[in-house]
Amino acid sequence: AVVSTQSGHYGRDSMEESKHSIISKLFIDSVDNGTPIKVCAPMVRYSSLPFRHLVKLYRCDLTFTHMMLSDCFSKAQSARDADFQHCETDRPLIAQFAASDPEYFAAAARLISPFVDGVDLNCGCPQRWAIKEGIGACMCTNPKLISKIVSRCRQVNPELPVSVKIRILDSIEDTVALAQAIEDAGAAFISVHGRTIKERNVTPHFDYVKAIKNNVNIPVIHNGGVYSPDDIEPALLKTGADGVMCAQGLLNNPALFAGYNETPLQCVQDWVNIAISYGTTFVTFKHHLVFMLENVLPKHEKKIFNNLSTIAAVLDYLDNNFDIRYQNKLPT
């Protein structure tokens, strides 16, 4: 599965002509090597630069920013500074935006394009505030608007790959039609969360994702139900997708894509070095550790850890219990 910047074409030659060839190369190498693309999903509060750095140490091929609001991003430098942090090694990277206006999405894409390898339109967020604003998953019932947004962005930023993350609709037919409309608009690839806007924590509808894969000529990334290394191959076999996207599974175990069934202590050590080096806030620093140590700490130790209220206290705990301490260096 190889992306094309031209709608309806799926071939190596056109991919390699793109200015932003990193995403193209990911899919080309995936086919050549017989290995699926492994993607860290966009997550509010958690898809920050430090966490992106961490998962890429453990065989994550592609990361997304958290969902940013295209209108705010395009209008205000303060919003751009607050929402987006990056560094030269933070690649390949997709910037995800929520948008209901084609001009705002295209403008946000233009501003961020020097620092990323593609932009993604969020049509998967099910949160009530997003639905109320007319963005996120509710847009899946409006393929024409999605197509306008993707098409306009391609016109303004012809060398920048545009992708779309969707949820499935109630019927396979409508879901496939949505994916085909996205492809025809010029999208480079599609990420499909195999659940409807109303579904939570249920088995994904793998057959819907498979139907999309069978009816479009651009790569399809499956999202949903991948919580351990053992979940990856079955999801790919059931969907035929070109890769898997993972959210909660990577929060609990950032080394999941490297084959670990639970977070190795080296990964915890890496997080300490990365987070402190980047100046990560205490809340974010600790939240990630709570997720990562979920299956490591016994119940009584979790209570102790959860009551720690400073970075110094957390570091003392990790030092005393796991011989983990800040080493004043970034792992590579």
Side-chain angles (χ1 to χ4, degrees), residues 23 39 44 46 55 67 76 83 87-88 92 130 136 244-245 247 268 283 295 306:
I23 300 302
V39 186
V44 175
Y46 298 121
V55 295
M67 180 184 76
D83 268 345
C87 66
E88 291 183 1
V244 292
M245 175 182 282
V268 178
V283 171
N295 295 320
N306 289 343

Side-chain angles (χ1 to χ4, degrees), residues 2-318:
V2 182
V3 183
S4 170
T5 56
Q6 301 298 317
S7 127
H9 189 71
Y10 199 16
R12 176 187 302 269
D13 292 341
S14 63
M15 290 291 292
E16 292 180 344
E17 292 171 1
S18 173
K19 174 184 173 184
H20 290 263
S21 63
I22 293 180
I23 300 302
S24 309
K25 188 175 185 301
L26 277 179
F27 287 104
I28 291 171
D29 288 348
S30 173
V31 173
D32 290 347
N33 300 329
T35 56
I37 301 292
K38 299 178 182 69
V39 186
C40 181
M43 293 176 281
V44 175
R45 294 185 300 275
Y46 298 121
S47 295
S48 61
L49 172 59
F51 189 67
R52 299 195 302 263
H53 185 143
L54 180 67
V55 295
K56 282 173 179 167
L57 294 177
Y58 291 90
R59 300 186 189 174
C60 180
D61 300 309
L62 179 63
T63 58
F64 280 59
T65 69
H66 66 276
M67 180 184 76
M68 300 176 281
L69 300 178
S70 62
D71 54 349
C72 296
F73 193 92
S74 60
K75 289 178 181 178
Q77 183 66 48
S78 58
R80 296 192 284 275
D81 292 340
D83 268 345
F84 182 62
Q85 292 80 41
H86 70 96
C87 66
E88 291 183 1
T89 59
D90 186 27
R91 310 293 279 269
L93 176 64
I94 302 289
Q96 188 186 70
F97 291 102
S100 58
D101 185 296
E103 297 304 327
Y104 282 135
F105 184 77
R110 179 177 54 80
L111 287 166
I112 208 167
S113 62
F115 314 106
V116 300
D117 305 292
V119 292
D120 185 80
L121 176 63
N122 182 307
C123 297
C125 179
Q127 296 185 43
R128 290 180 183 177
W129 71 266
I131 304 306
K132 197 172 182 180
E133 293 292 327
I135 56 177
C138 67
M139 291 178 61
C140 289
T141 59
N142 194 347
K144 289 184 178 179
L145 176 57
I146 296 175
S147 295
K148 287 180 180 178
I149 294 172
V150 173
S151 296
R152 182 56 179 157
C153 188
R154 296 286 291 114
Q155 291 169 358
V156 175
N157 310 280
E159 298 298 329
L160 185 66
V162 182
S163 58
V164 183
K165 187 173 187 294
I166 65 171
R167 281 182 174 254
I168 62 171
L169 296 168
D170 290 335
S171 75
I172 287 183
E173 294 77 12
D174 288 343
T175 303
V176 169
L178 169 63
Q180 289 174 330
I182 291 170
E183 177 185 24
D184 290 342
F189 66 92
I190 307 174
S191 303
V192 185
H193 189 145
R195 301 183 178 100
T196 69
I197 191 173
K198 296 179 181 179
E199 291 179 326
R200 303 285 189 279
N201 300 318
V202 300
T203 301
H205 299 272
F206 296 108
D207 53 335
Y208 280 60
V209 183
K210 184 175 182 179
I212 290 175
K213 177 59 186 171
N214 288 342
N215 287 279
V216 299
N217 293 310
I218 54 175
V220 175
I221 303 295
H222 167 74
N223 178 214
V226 176
Y227 301 108
S228 75
D230 292 338
D231 294 327
I232 296 174
E233 186 175 355
L236 292 170
L237 289 173
K238 291 175 183 177
T239 62
D242 301 280
V244 292
M245 175 182 282
C246 188
Q248 188 63 52
L250 281 177
L251 282 179
N252 293 340
N253 177 12
L256 185 155
F257 287 151
Y260 292 91
N261 288 309
E262 62 182 35
T263 307
L265 290 181
Q266 182 58 51
C267 185
V268 178
Q269 176 68 75
D270 289 337
W271 172 244
V272 168
N273 290 336
I274 291 169
I276 294 179
S277 294
Y278 280 120
T280 305
T281 65
F282 168 72
V283 171
T284 300
F285 174 63
K286 185 181 173 185
H287 275 186
H288 278 289
L289 288 170
V290 169
F291 286 125
M292 293 162 66
L293 297 173
E294 172 66 26
N295 295 320
V296 177
L297 294 177
K299 188 174 181 180
H300 69 280
E301 288 294 334
K302 288 179 184 177
K303 290 182 179 179
I304 295 173
F305 188 81
N306 289 343
N307 286 327
L308 301 177
S309 58
T310 65
I311 288 180
V314 170
L315 291 177
D316 284 343
Y317 182 92
L318 294 175

